[in-house]
Amino acid sequence: MTERVAQVPQRTYEIWGNWKMNPRTIDEAETLLFDMIHEHLKPLLADFTSMRRYIGIGIFAPDLFMSSLGTTAQTADGLMKLGAQNMYFEPEGAFTGESSAPMIRSILTYADNDPNVLIGHSERRHGSILGVLETDEIINEKMKAAYNHAMRPFLAVGETLSEREEGLTEDILEEQIIRGLKDVTVDEFFGARTVIAYEPVWAIGTGKTATPEMANEAHAHVRGILREKYGDYVAEQTSIQYGGSMKPGNAAELLAQEHIDGGLIGGASLDAASFAGIVAAALPLVR
Ligand code: PGA
């Protein structure tokens, strides 16, 4: 299977904020993104040109703000990408309140930006307040829609606290990845530079972080699942992000683990200095 895949290394560090339903206004969102770029990231990444092949930095922003944030992101000379936090799998139709792949693609058009989309975040898989729970089958439809519309999906997976306590972590990861990627070919998966985001649900927004060793073990398992499905090369070259209470204070240790290739950052991405602090923690590892 692997020999059909172009042998291009693509295991980059991917440091992404997930703003969720924040901040409250477009003005606050613009200010936050502008500060991130101009007060923090540009000075930090002054020699970014030589590093851009190895690191991806972005924000999964609210759809409503995306168009206007795209203008701000363009002032970052390619170092700030944007992505959607979710999308529906049908391209158009009577689906009140949803956004489709073609809609998102048509907004994320500026140079240096892939049409990135986060799929299967645990707040959508388990979020009882959201009403509709996303199953692996729905997530699989969304992944296939992403590939059909030439988007780059970040597939979020992770176990709940009770699943971890019952020793089910590895089974859950396998189930979510195998079902989420059902009928997805190696060319689709690798061609789109798919990222896997491992986010233990019990560590999201709780201040509890998986220890670097625990996280690395789960990431190694994820890589093993990819190896079985798509072969050695693809498994080795796929970026696997960690998410769950990552902050400047714990990022360096997490990111230094063999199988951790970045972070998906919720709370700390709402503060420009904290987000930049996590990027700074990745930089010594990137070269
Ligand atoms: P957190 O969120 O960093 O606030 O724990 C991570 C996420 O939900 O992606």
Side-chain angles (χ1 to χ4, degrees), residues 63 84-90 97-99 104 117-144 154-158 160 163 172 175-176 179-180 201:
D63 288 358
Q85 299 170 10
N86 175 42
M87 70 176 190
Y88 197 62
F89 50 82
E90 294 290 354
E98 298 289 342
S99 303
I104 295 163
V117 60
L118 179 60
I119 291 178
H121 189 277
S122 66
E123 283 151 20
R124 303 195 59 85
R125 287 180 187 265
H126 305 286
S128 51
I129 43 163
L130 294 179
V132 182
L133 301 190
E134 287 193 8
T135 60
D136 287 317
E137 289 64 41
I138 293 173
I139 288 162
N140 179 236
E141 291 299 327
K142 293 185 174 191
M143 292 298 289
K144 289 191 288 195
F154 288 55
L155 173 63
V157 297
T160 62
E163 286 163 349
I172 294 295
E175 214 170 274
Q176 291 179 344
R179 291 186 183 169
V201 180

Side-chain angles (χ1 to χ4, degrees), residues 45-159:
L45 292 158
D47 63 344
F48 180 70
T49 329
S50 61
M51 290 168 57
R52 64 196 305 162
R53 286 181 52 212
Y54 308 106
I55 188 165
I57 301 167
I59 298 292
F60 291 108
D63 288 358
L64 272 178
F65 296 164
M66 199 87 79
S67 183
S68 145
L69 291 177
T71 310
T72 307
Q74 284 180 69
T75 67
D77 303 332
L79 70 80
M80 176 60 80
K81 297 167 188 287
L82 291 176
Q85 299 170 10
N86 175 42
M87 70 176 190
Y88 197 62
F89 50 82
E90 294 290 354
E92 66 195 347
F95 305 103
T96 302
E98 298 289 342
S99 303
S100 71
M103 287 174 176
I104 295 163
R105 290 202 89 228
S106 73
I107 299 289
L108 295 177
T109 50
Y110 65 91
D112 295 315
N113 199 66
D114 300 310
N116 302 281
V117 60
L118 179 60
I119 291 178
H121 189 277
S122 66
E123 283 151 20
R124 303 195 59 85
R125 287 180 187 265
H126 305 286
S128 51
I129 43 163
L130 294 179
V132 182
L133 301 190
E134 287 193 8
T135 60
D136 287 317
E137 289 64 41
I138 293 173
I139 288 162
N140 179 236
E141 291 299 327
K142 293 185 174 191
M143 292 298 289
K144 289 191 288 195
Y147 297 122
N148 286 340
H149 292 278
M151 298 184 73
R152 182 194 193 198
F154 288 55
L155 173 63
V157 297
E159 79 288 359

Side-chain angles (χ1 to χ4, degrees), residues 18 20 121 199 203-205 244-245 264-267:
N18 174 13
K20 310 189 179 183
H121 189 277
E199 299 204 298
I204 294 179
S245 299
L264 183 54
I265 301 129

Side-chain angles (χ1 to χ4, degrees), residues 127 184 198 236:
V184 172
Y198 168 64
E236 282 310 313

Side-chain angles (χ1 to χ4, degrees), residues 33-49:
L33 192 69
F34 190 90
D35 282 357
M36 267 181 187
I37 294 168
H38 295 283
E39 299 293 319
H40 298 278
L41 295 178
K42 270 195 165 174
L44 188 65
L45 292 158
D47 63 344
F48 180 70
T49 329

